[in-house]
Each structure stands twice: as C-alpha cells, then as structure tokens.
Amino acid sequence: MPSTTDFIPAKYSHSIESGNFQWTSPSNIALVKYWGKKEKHPSLKGELAEQIPANPSVSFTLNNCKTITKLAFAKKDTSSLDCARDGTFSATDSGFSFDFLFEGKPKEDFKPKIQQFFERVEKYLPFLKDYHFTIDTQNTFPHSSGIASSASGMAALAMNLMSLEKVLNPKMTEEYFYQKASFLARLGSGSACRSVKGDVVVWGNHSTIKGSSDLFGVEFPNAIHENFKNFQDTILLVDKGEKQVSSSIGHNLMTGHPFAEKRFEQAHENLDKLIAVFASGNLDEFITIVESEALTLHSMMMTSIPYFILMKPNTLQIINAIWKYRNETKIPVCFTLDAGANVHVLYPENVKEIVLQFIKDELVGYCQNGHYICDEIGMGSSKI
C-alpha cells in the first residue's frame, strides 16, 4: 500500500533561482460520487487523515471546463525574510511568500486557501519557503457554481509545483511526477486528484481496481467500450452563484450521518457495476447507476443535520424533461449533479446533434440567462 512517506523527497541535486511554468487542468464530473471523509487511515500511522475519501469514486475528465494557471517563482533574499513584501500574507506571516491573481487581478479572499494548501504540502515540497511565488489563474467557466473549480484550480497549481520540483530533481520519473501531482492536488481539494491525468479516473481504494489508492487518483485500468469514448457533457447553468454550503462542510456532515455506512457500501457496489458496464458498453445500466448516484448524493445532503437542499426548482424541471425525452425517444441521454444546482447532461457522441437540439429546444429556458457549456471527455492536465 502506498504511503505518504513515498512523497517526501530526498535532498535535491539541482537548484534554480527563478522561472515560470504554466499548466491547464480540467474539471471532472464524478459518476460514482465522493461524499464524506475518513478520520483515520492505516497508511498515515497516526497522522491527521487529510482529504481521505470515505468511499471510492470514479469520474469523467472534462475537456473545455478548465483552469489555466501560471506560476512565477524567484528565490527569496534571505537577508530580508523579516520584512513583509506588502503587509499581506508574506514571509513574515508564516514563511510562505506569494501573491495570488485571479483573471489578472489580486484576489485576497483566495489567499487563505492557498496558505492552507502550502501548509499541508510543505513537508512534501520543502522548497516552498525558499521562493516568492506569483500565482496567476483564470477559469474558462464560472467559479464556485458546482463545476468543481477547486478541482481544476488545485490540480493546475499542483502541476506547476511539480514542474519546479522536476527541475530540482531531474531524475524524477514521469509516473512519479503525475502520481505525486495527484497526491498534492488531493490535499488542496479532494476531487482535484482526479483532474491530473486520464479520461476516466478512480480515486479511493477499491479491491477490484488495480493500483487504486486513497492517496491519489489513477487512470481507470480496465476495458472501456467504444460507447464511452469521447462521451459528451453539456452543463446547464441553472445557478451561477456561490454555493449555499461549501463541499467541506457537506463532507463533514457525513460523520455520524444515519445512512453513511450504507451509502459507502453502495458506492463500492456501484463502482463494481460500472467496471462491467464500461466493458460491455451497456448504456441503460450506465444511466441507472449514474442518475442513482446523483440523487443519492443530494439525498445525503437532505438527510444530514443540519440538512440542506442545493437543487433549484429548475434543476427538477430539467431532470423531469430528460426522463420524459428519454422515455419517448429511447435516446441514451442522462443527467448527473455535483454538489450544486447545475445539471450535467451526459450522452454518447453518436447522438450529439439530436441531443443538442433537444437541449436548445427544451432545456436552455431553465438555465440562468440561457447559459450552458458544451463539453466532452478530455485527458487531463497539459503544460502550456
């Protein structure tokens, strides 16, 4: 079983004074949902179990919904470490020195999340306090609207940091590079570990999936039928505003939840079913599993204490319209949801034109300002 100690580096053989990297990382949409975290984990040997999933998940990696992040870095002048750069989150505050820009403008309210991430990963990236970083990031989709912007954002940052470590340790293998990037991304946002590499990604230990781990995501190793190649995902933006409840709070509410253990068992069972479905190409069974998972996710939210509802009236209108359309036409189109009101409409590429026409004719009216995003399966992060 992989351990966190596998990602603590030995002394670096090389050095670099300054430079920059740029990576783009996609969002992902879970088919079997991650909801709930473990408090303890055998590989951590008494350490705090940060971002360890209570059940395994599997996701489609998206292609168009992505974060583009440029990381510039420069060695700090050790003689001036006691002097703050600008009076905000800088060397004097914690030893970490960074500026954060979102769409080219300073974004102070994002900084605490980056600060927390650096604190979590420092022992795995011991060079962090040696540099001042400028993180310049932008999304191709609305932030904080249920399209997993934290997943793509943290994945992109992890890829950039690993590029820097690769310079410091040129002998690093490609396999280790991506595995550690996924491991680091997970510590920023759990689902971010599924946005690093691959079109179908599994996160969480599962007995029948070789190489699966709670510590990082892995490319789905089994057969995938042609039916699922280049699968389409049209995202209907029912509500582009901030989520009512953060995912972190929602995950924590699974601790002591009356239905938690049964839910975790169900996730394992559904992942087993999907292994067979991916191999056979059975779209009907795929639809049943994926829609059930989406509704179960929201039922967990509605039955926690405190309870909450993230779906909107138009979310339900869209779901009912999809069911009616599928029953009448027998076209294999279905929905899934993240922890928000927006609806991901999933369908094979060979019915793309007819489903898009259905979406334009019957579903767009339920979207905020008529906005929707056409996406499809992608392959993960890429260096620019």
Side-chain angles (χ1 to χ4, degrees):
M1 178 184 293
S3 168
T4 57
T5 57
D6 297 337
F7 300 107
I8 298 175
K11 187 175 181 180
Y12 295 127
S13 60
H14 288 60
S15 63
I16 184 172
E17 290 297 312
S18 62
N20 63 79
F21 301 102
Q22 190 170 13
W23 280 82
T24 176
S25 293
S27 184
N28 64 77
I29 180 63
L31 307 173
V32 171
K33 307 295 186 180
Y34 147 60
W35 199 247
K37 302 176 186 181
K38 290 180 181 176
E39 295 180 348
K40 297 180 180 179
H41 193 265
S43 76
L44 300 181
K45 299 175 182 178
E47 298 176 51
L48 182 64
E50 292 176 318
Q51 305 290 77
I52 299 296
N55 65 265
S57 58
V58 61
S59 62
F60 279 153
T61 306
L62 299 182
N63 188 51
N64 300 327
C65 289
K66 57 191 177 184
T67 297
I68 303 161
T69 298
K70 182 177 182 179
L71 180 76
F73 57 93
K75 264 284 183 66
K76 291 193 293 193
D77 180 0
T78 56
S79 66
S80 63
L81 281 182
D82 292 332
C83 300
R85 294 176 59 88
D86 58 6
T88 60
F89 272 107
S90 192
T92 54
D93 294 310
S94 67
F96 300 115
S97 178
F98 62 90
D99 297 312
F100 186 88
L101 306 177
F102 183 68
E103 297 180 347
K105 298 178 182 178
K107 190 77 171 175
E108 293 297 313
D109 56 342
F110 276 34
K111 279 187 159 184
K113 191 172 181 68
I114 304 299
Q115 173 76 13
Q116 181 186 57
F117 175 64
F118 278 0
E119 290 169 355
R120 285 179 175 177
V121 304
E122 182 189 4
K123 68 178 175 181
Y124 309 110
L125 299 173
F127 60 79
L128 284 178
K129 289 182 178 177
D130 297 338
Y131 294 92
H132 175 75
F133 298 99
T134 301
I135 304 162
D136 193 349
T137 191
Q138 59 182 305
N139 292 332
T140 64
F141 57 93
H143 169 71
S144 295
S145 59
I147 315 179
S149 59
S150 60
S152 56
M154 284 300 175
L157 180 55
M159 300 308 295
N160 278 296
L161 291 170
M162 284 306 298
S163 289
L164 175 50
E165 186 169 67
K166 175 72 171 174
V167 173
L168 302 175
N169 177 22
K171 293 183 179 180
M172 182 188 299
T173 65
E174 181 177 349
E175 179 183 13
Y176 181 85
F177 177 93
Y178 281 101
Q179 193 175 90
K180 184 170 179 178
S182 180
F183 171 85
L184 295 173
R186 186 198 97 244
L187 291 172
S189 172
S191 58
C193 73
R194 301 191 308 244
S195 286
V196 168
K197 192 171 189 285
D199 54 352
V200 180
V201 180
V202 175
W203 171 39
N205 186 48
H206 186 68
S207 59
T208 59
I209 296 182
K210 184 179 179 181
S212 60
S213 172
D214 289 339
L215 301 182
F216 47 81
V218 299
E219 294 183 76
F220 183 74
N222 299 23
I224 299 179
H225 193 277
E226 283 298 315
N227 284 350
F228 300 106
K229 303 291 180 161
N230 204 32
F231 222 70
Q232 304 292 299
D233 179 5
T234 299
I235 306 160
L236 306 181
L237 301 178
V238 173
D239 183 5
K240 294 191 288 183
E242 295 277 343
K243 288 188 293 187
Q244 297 170 9
V245 180
S246 74
S247 293
S248 294
I249 292 173
H251 285 295
N252 291 339
L253 292 175
M254 286 298 283
T255 302
H257 193 294
F259 309 130
E261 290 308 314
K262 187 60 182 175
R263 161 58 199 154
F264 301 147
E265 291 174 18
Q266 180 195 45
H268 280 272
E269 292 167 2
N270 281 340
L271 187 45
D272 268 330
K273 291 176 183 177
L274 266 185
I275 293 170
V277 166
F278 279 141
S280 68
N282 187 330
L283 290 167
D284 290 337
E285 184 65 13
F286 175 83
I287 288 169
T288 298
I289 295 167
V290 168
E291 291 190 342
S292 172
E293 277 284 318
L295 295 175
T296 298
L297 171 67
H298 282 259
S299 71
M300 292 297 103
M301 301 177 203
M302 288 188 279
T303 51
S304 63
I305 300 295
Y307 40 80
F308 50 98
I309 299 174
L310 295 184
M311 285 191 259
K312 301 290 187 182
N314 281 0
T315 306
L316 297 175
Q317 293 279 18
I318 289 168
I319 289 171
N320 281 309
I322 289 172
W323 285 342
K324 182 174 183 288
Y325 177 77
R326 189 171 69 227
N327 287 335
E328 290 175 351
T329 65
K330 308 307 177 187
I331 291 172
V333 57
C334 68
F335 73 89
T336 189
L337 308 164
D338 267 341
N342 298 328
V343 181
H344 291 249
V345 185
L346 302 176
Y347 49 97
E349 185 181 25
N350 64 2
V351 295
K352 179 178 178 179
E353 296 306 318
I354 191 169
V355 171
L356 279 176
Q357 194 59 53
F358 159 64
I359 289 169
K360 292 173 185 176
D361 291 344
E362 299 190 38
L363 302 184
V364 168
Y366 298 118
C367 299
Q368 186 176 342
N369 300 321
H371 289 172
Y372 63 99
I373 300 171
C374 292
D375 213 329
E376 59 192 1
I377 289 183
M379 291 303 298
S381 301
S382 60
K383 193 174 182 181
I384 301 173

